Amino acid sequence: MHVHAILKTKSASRKGPAVVTADPKATLAEVARSLADNNIGAVVVTTTDGRVAGIFSERDIVRHVAKSGAAALDKPVADLMTKAVITCTAEDSIDAVMTKMTRGRFRHVPVIGADARLVGLVSIGDVVKHHVEEIEHEATALRDYITQPH
Ligand code: AMP
């Protein structure tokens, strides 16, 4: 199974934009508000032409507030975001994305299109949900096979 299967189910159930993004000049306070308002764990920081400049997650907020106190909240996200972003494409396998998350110890992977623009985001929650659904389908198919007369 590939990443586009996850993007498809997400776009069917989503009310807002494909990915919640932040301007590089947004402050940490603004990003924190966006994470809370959208009930998400990370924003992708994008340039005006829609390219990925960085990623910033709730874990980064905790880290920077612990280090600098409330003063961190006035800083622009561009100064504190993770710039070396690991991305994937819609054609990548979900297993490959899971491996990236496990190896990198992060829970969000932006999905990039052919023109290097952001087309989606896969979270660990999406991957787990997909996995559980796959296992449930398999169990149903096996149960049907066992119970049908041969
Ligand atoms: P997360 O587990 O997604 O909350 O992120 C944990 C840490 O990894 C934070 O410092 C994030 O900025 C960073 N991070 C999250 N996603 C990625 C990614 N796809 N590529 C690189 N770093 C990331």
Side-chain angles (χ1 to χ4, degrees):
M1 284 295 254
H2 298 92
V3 168
H4 55 73
I6 289 181
L7 297 185
K8 212 168 123 194
T9 51
K10 281 181 84 168
S11 72
S13 62
R14 189 187 308 117
K15 293 168 214 104
V19 187
V20 178
T21 58
D23 187 276
K25 287 192 222 79
T27 63
L28 257 55
E30 287 166 338
V31 170
R33 213 169 299 126
S34 175
L35 294 176
D37 288 350
N38 291 289
N39 201 22
I40 53 171
V43 290
V44 180
V45 183
T46 49
T47 56
T48 43
D49 62 355
R51 282 162 215 277
V52 175
I55 191 160
F56 198 84
S57 84
E58 54 199 357
R59 207 166 272 184
D60 295 313
I61 299 208
V62 170
R63 192 177 302 144
H64 289 295
V65 169
K67 190 175 156 206
S68 315
L73 296 172
D74 295 327
K75 292 186 181 161
V77 70
D79 291 359
L80 304 171
M81 66 191 181
T82 302
K83 289 181 182 144
V85 184
I86 305 296
T87 61
C88 68
T89 70
E91 291 73 39
D92 286 344
S93 74
I94 294 168
D95 282 353
V97 173
M98 253 169 73
T99 304
K100 284 183 185 194
M101 286 178 174
T102 310
R103 289 211 179 121
R105 293 174 182 269
F106 46 69
R107 299 165 292 176
H108 302 87
V109 178
V111 187
I112 302 299
D115 52 0
R117 278 182 178 74
L118 184 64
V119 295
L121 183 123
V122 174
S123 74
I124 191 117
D126 299 326
V127 172
V128 169
K129 184 170 172 278
H130 181 85
H131 227 67
V132 168
E133 281 168 5
E134 229 177 30
I135 289 164
E136 278 170 357
H137 279 135
E138 222 172 88
T140 305
L142 281 172
R143 212 173 294 123
D144 288 351
Y145 177 76
I146 291 163
T147 54
Q148 79 188 4
H150 288 90

